[in-house]
Amino acid sequence: MIAFAHFILALCLLISGNVLAQQQEPPPSGISFYVLRVIYSAEERQGAALTVYNKSNTPVLMQSWIRPVDSATGDVETGWQGVPAMPFILTPPLTRLEANSDITLRIRRNGVPLPQDRESVFYISMKTLPPQKTTGDQMVMTVVSNMKVFYRPQGLVKRAVAKMAPKLHFHRQHDQLTAINPTPYWLTFSRLSVGGSPLEKPALRLMVPPYGQQSYRIPASATGTVSWQLIDEDGWDTPVAQQSE
C-alpha cells in the first residue's frame, strides 16, 4: 500500500432526489489527502490534525464527524445514532472548502473516558456536497469518505506497528485462522496467507484488537506457513513475518 498518494473521495455515494437532470454536473473531483490514517498521541496537547485538499476548480461544503468502528466488519458503524458518545471533538464540523485550497480538521479529546492501557480506534467521516442548481428534478449527490483515527494514550509510542508485527501468533482450527495480539495496539493486515493462499482484501478489514484476537475463514485445503504484513502508521506494508503451522 502506498502512502502520500491522493485518495479521491469515492468510498460511498448517497443519492437523494427524483431523476437525473440532463445538465447534471458531475460530483467534485480533486478532494484528497496525503495520509491513510490519523495517529493521535496523548502527548499531542493540541490534538491531532488532518488536512483536506480541494485540488478542483469547484468549492464544496464539507461536514465532518466521528463515528465508531463496526466490530463485525471493521468498517464504519453506519447505524450509529449518537450512542455511545464519541470521545473527540472535531472542528470545524461544517465548513466551505474553497476551490484549489485546503483546510485542516482538528481532533481533540473531550470528557468521554478511553482505556489508558491500550490503543482505541474510530473513524473520521467527511461528507462533501458540491454546489447544486435548485431544480425540482435534479439529483443531489454527496460523497462520504471514512478515515481511521487511532488514539494512543501515554506510554504508547507514535511509531510501533512494524515492531509489533512479529509478536502476532496464530492458531488454526478447521477453516478458522485466529490471530492473537499480545500488544496494546490495533493491528491491521495488508496481507495474510496460509501456505501461499492469500485471504481476500474484504476479510482483512477486520482488525486484531489490543490484547485480543480475530478469526478469519480460510480454505480447508490451505496448509503450511502463515505469512503476514501489517499496515504501519504511514500506510506502508511492514516486513513479511511468518509462522510455521
Side-chain angles (χ1 to χ4, degrees):
M1 187 167 294
I2 300 175
F4 307 113
H6 289 179
F7 291 86
I8 304 303
L9 294 178
L11 302 181
C12 179
L13 295 180
L14 304 177
I15 299 174
S16 62
N18 297 319
V19 296
L20 180 63
Q22 291 184 352
Q23 300 301 318
Q24 168 71 25
E25 297 180 3
S29 61
I31 304 298
S32 57
F33 313 97
Y34 289 130
V35 296
L36 285 172
R37 55 198 54 218
V38 175
I39 309 298
Y40 184 166
S41 174
E43 281 74 18
E44 299 178 53
R45 299 301 180 183
Q46 300 302 313
L50 172 64
T51 302
V52 184
Y53 300 87
N54 182 4
K55 296 184 179 295
S56 73
N57 295 322
T58 305
V60 295
L61 186 66
M62 188 174 73
Q63 180 183 12
S64 307
W65 68 105
I66 301 290
R67 288 196 281 185
V69 173
D70 185 339
S71 60
T73 66
D75 290 327
V76 64
E77 176 57 79
T78 56
W80 179 73
Q81 298 294 323
V83 178
M86 293 294 96
F88 304 107
I89 298 172
L90 186 59
T91 57
L94 183 66
T95 188
R96 178 183 170 98
L97 180 52
E98 300 295 340
N100 300 303
S101 67
D102 61 74
I103 189 169
T104 298
L105 301 176
R106 182 66 61 178
I107 308 120
R108 291 186 174 90
R109 285 292 316 276
N110 58 22
V112 176
L114 282 173
Q116 294 303 299
D117 66 337
R118 66 194 67 193
E119 190 176 59
S120 300
V121 62
F122 300 87
Y123 275 99
I124 304 172
S125 292
M126 293 156 283
K127 179 165 64 176
T128 59
L129 176 67
Q132 299 287 329
K133 298 177 181 179
T134 56
T135 60
D137 60 352
Q138 185 181 16
M139 175 186 291
V140 177
M141 183 174 290
T142 62
V143 183
V144 177
S145 177
N146 300 303
M147 181 177 292
K148 290 175 185 174
V149 54
F150 295 86
Y151 177 76
R152 293 181 176 173
Q154 291 192 14
L156 299 190
V157 299
K158 193 168 184 178
R159 303 193 59 83
V161 172
K163 292 182 179 180
M164 298 302 110
K167 297 185 179 183
L168 280 169
H169 56 277
F170 295 83
H171 170 71
R172 178 177 179 173
Q173 186 172 14
H174 306 301
D175 64 346
Q176 294 289 318
L177 180 70
T178 300
I180 301 168
N181 178 9
T183 82
Y185 299 89
W186 282 90
L187 302 179
T188 308
F189 292 107
S190 61
R191 294 181 180 87
L192 176 61
S193 65
V194 178
S197 298
L199 276 71
E200 298 295 330
K201 289 295 183 182
L204 301 185
R205 292 175 185 154
L206 286 170
M207 296 174 285
V208 191
Y211 303 125
Q213 61 187 39
Q214 186 64 258
S215 294
Y216 304 87
R217 179 164 292 181
I218 59 174
S221 59
T223 59
T225 300
V226 180
S227 299
W228 68 94
Q229 291 175 276
L230 302 179
I231 302 174
D232 73 8
E233 289 84 355
D234 294 325
W236 295 97
D237 293 345
T238 62
V240 176
Q242 295 183 332
Q243 174 187 308
S244 298
E245 278 197 305

